[in-house]
Amino acid sequence: MTQQQRAPEPKGNDWQAWGRRLMIFLGQTRSALVQQTGEETAAEDGIIMWDRTYEYPVVSKNGVWRQIVLEDGHGDFYINSDVTATSANTEYQLTYTAEASNSGITLGTPASRIVFEEAGQYVIAFSAQISSTSASTVHFYFWPSVNGTDISNSAMTTALHQNNATVVASRTQVFTVAASDYLEVNWMVDNTDGFLNATAASSPVPNIPASTLSITRLHG
């Protein structure tokens, strides 16, 4: 909608005539307000429209159309069994189970891939419960990759220093991805006595996952 397309203002005391003009105006502009065709200007801030190409609402801000992010674009994943490493100092990918309520973020093929249906910035919160059966120091390493490429400045490490020790390692970061990109969570341990520990439920405590991953879309 351009700045010239404005609702008629009432004049005098003839409210019925103004009402008829207003109804005509709404009928003429309804399709432009609801469906964005690509010809509308964003020169005026605060105009909300529906982008029928990408199927989401947009609002004009500072001369451009910005997406209004809906509820879709979230995912919760978990691992409810122990995860071990066959060899030390070897990279492995974690394979998660997806919650049924996830929207716009799914498991791919192979199942270690977490696929984003839409482009945007996402908050990704990771946790792992690490354990060790060694009295020696065991180092754990975790890092994400997108489309098979490791992400700079994203790795984390922690260490356990005693037998039967258990610690939760966690980190939250923001990632920018394109539509159909996939994320993988990689891990490595320098001693195979170290593993990711899942604990079964024991009343009144519910089960404890070996790892969790929560993803929320910020904006397009």
Side-chain angles (χ1 to χ4, degrees), residues 2 7 14 23 37 42 71 79 95 99 101 111 118 121 123 139 148 159 164 167 177 180 193 217:
T2 65
D14 190 353
M23 290 298 293
T37 65
E71 177 273 344
I79 300 174
T95 299
E99 293 283 4
S101 59
E118 290 195 72
Q121 282 194 324
V123 176
H139 294 89
N164 294 322
V167 170
V177 299
S180 300
D193 289 332
R217 190 165 183 246

Side-chain angles (χ1 to χ4, degrees), residues 56-189:
Y56 51 60
V58 293
V59 61
S60 56
K61 179 182 178 183
N62 297 328
V64 297
W65 294 104
R66 300 294 299 274
Q67 179 185 356
I68 301 173
V69 177
L70 299 175
E71 177 273 344
D72 55 331
H74 69 85
D76 291 295
F77 303 86
Y78 59 90
I79 300 174
N80 275 342
S81 58
D82 289 353
V83 182
T84 59
T86 303
S87 302
N89 300 312
T90 302
E91 173 186 345
Y92 296 96
Q93 286 72 47
L94 295 179
T95 299
Y96 289 87
T97 297
E99 293 283 4
S101 59
N102 290 356
S103 176
I105 305 172
T106 58
L107 294 176
T109 303
S112 60
R113 297 182 177 184
I114 297 172
V115 182
F116 298 86
E117 292 183 7
E118 290 195 72
Q121 282 194 324
Y122 292 78
V123 176
I124 300 178
F126 164 81
S127 75
Q129 179 168 266
I130 61 175
S131 293
S132 173
T133 58
S134 173
S136 302
T137 298
V138 179
H139 294 89
F140 294 78
Y141 303 86
F142 302 93
W143 68 96
S145 58
V146 174
N147 300 333
T149 300
D150 296 339
I151 305 301
S152 300
N153 305 313
S154 64
M156 59 183 292
T157 184
T158 189
L160 295 180
H161 306 286
Q162 64 188 56
N163 190 25
N164 294 322
T166 299
V167 170
V168 173
S170 64
R171 173 170 288 176
T172 299
Q173 288 185 271
V174 175
F175 292 85
T176 300
V177 299
S180 300
D181 279 356
Y182 67 86
L183 170 80
E184 289 181 294
V185 179
N186 310 291
W187 80 291
M188 185 178 75
V189 66

